[in-house]
Amino acid sequence: MQKEAFQDPIPDNGCFGCGPHNEHGLRIESYWDGEESVCTFLPEPFRTAGPPQFLNGGITATIVDCHCVCSVIAHAYRTERRPIGSNPHIRCVTASLDVRYLRPVPIDGPVNLRAKIIESDGRKTKVASAQTLDFIDIGKPGPAAKQWD
């Protein structure tokens, strides 16, 4: 895997979920692992859902969303054979996300995410995403992101 996370070179990335310089954010980091992207998130105890042993559902959705959108951005740059963050900048936003919670996500260990680009037409990209601990189900065909200028 590469050493620099997808999120690091994205210009002006102040996102709560993935902005590397957002001091109040989650600061997830995503990397390529072959044709899939991976992210391991280590929840902090104050990210609780109420019961202290479970991760907040909104935080769960946020890490899935940010991991998938950053994977789409990385894919777009990789398709153009240029470094993430190079000019002209490629910006994407969430077009759809359907998260179904199968059971609470424990807060006392890593949350592992994987994503794979399954379809891209240049402006809209669909992602197959899986949380390897099987706590959530991502609706089919998976999250989608659109390029934004």
Side-chain angles (χ1 to χ4, degrees), residues 121-144:
D121 70 6
R123 296 287 297 170
K124 184 174 183 179
T125 302
K126 293 181 181 174
V127 183
S129 178
Q131 182 181 9
T132 58
L133 298 176
D134 296 325
F135 294 99
I136 60 174
D137 177 39
I138 304 300
K140 305 300 179 216

Side-chain angles (χ1 to χ4, degrees), residues 9 50 56 75 83 96 102 106 115 118-119 137 139 142 145:
N56 176 278
H75 168 76
S96 64
L102 303 176
I118 56 172
E119 182 181 324
D137 177 39

Side-chain angles (χ1 to χ4, degrees), residues 30-141:
S30 304
Y31 304 90
W32 287 121
D33 181 17
E35 292 301 309
E36 293 185 325
S37 59
V38 296
C39 172
T40 299
F41 175 70
L42 300 172
E44 296 167 284
F46 62 88
R47 306 276 189 210
T48 183
Q53 69 271 32
F54 300 129
L55 182 62
N56 176 278
I59 299 293
T60 301
T62 298
I63 63 174
V64 170
D65 179 25
C66 287
H67 175 60
C68 290
V69 169
C70 289
S71 297
V72 168
I73 292 169
H75 168 76
Y77 276 104
R78 184 158 80 165
T79 299
E80 293 184 10
R81 301 189 195 301
R82 55 190 186 99
I84 297 172
S86 61
N87 286 317
H89 297 152
I90 296 172
R91 301 187 190 276
C92 298
V93 296
T94 306
S96 64
L97 177 66
D98 180 13
V99 179
R100 296 184 183 123
Y101 300 89
L102 303 176
R103 60 181 184 250
V105 178
I107 202 167
D108 63 352
V111 179
N112 299 302
L113 302 169
R114 298 187 79 79
K116 184 175 183 175
I117 306 300
I118 56 172
E119 182 181 324
S120 182
D121 70 6
R123 296 287 297 170
K124 184 174 183 179
T125 302
K126 293 181 181 174
V127 183
S129 178
Q131 182 181 9
T132 58
L133 298 176
D134 296 325
F135 294 99
I136 60 174
D137 177 39
I138 304 300
K140 305 300 179 216

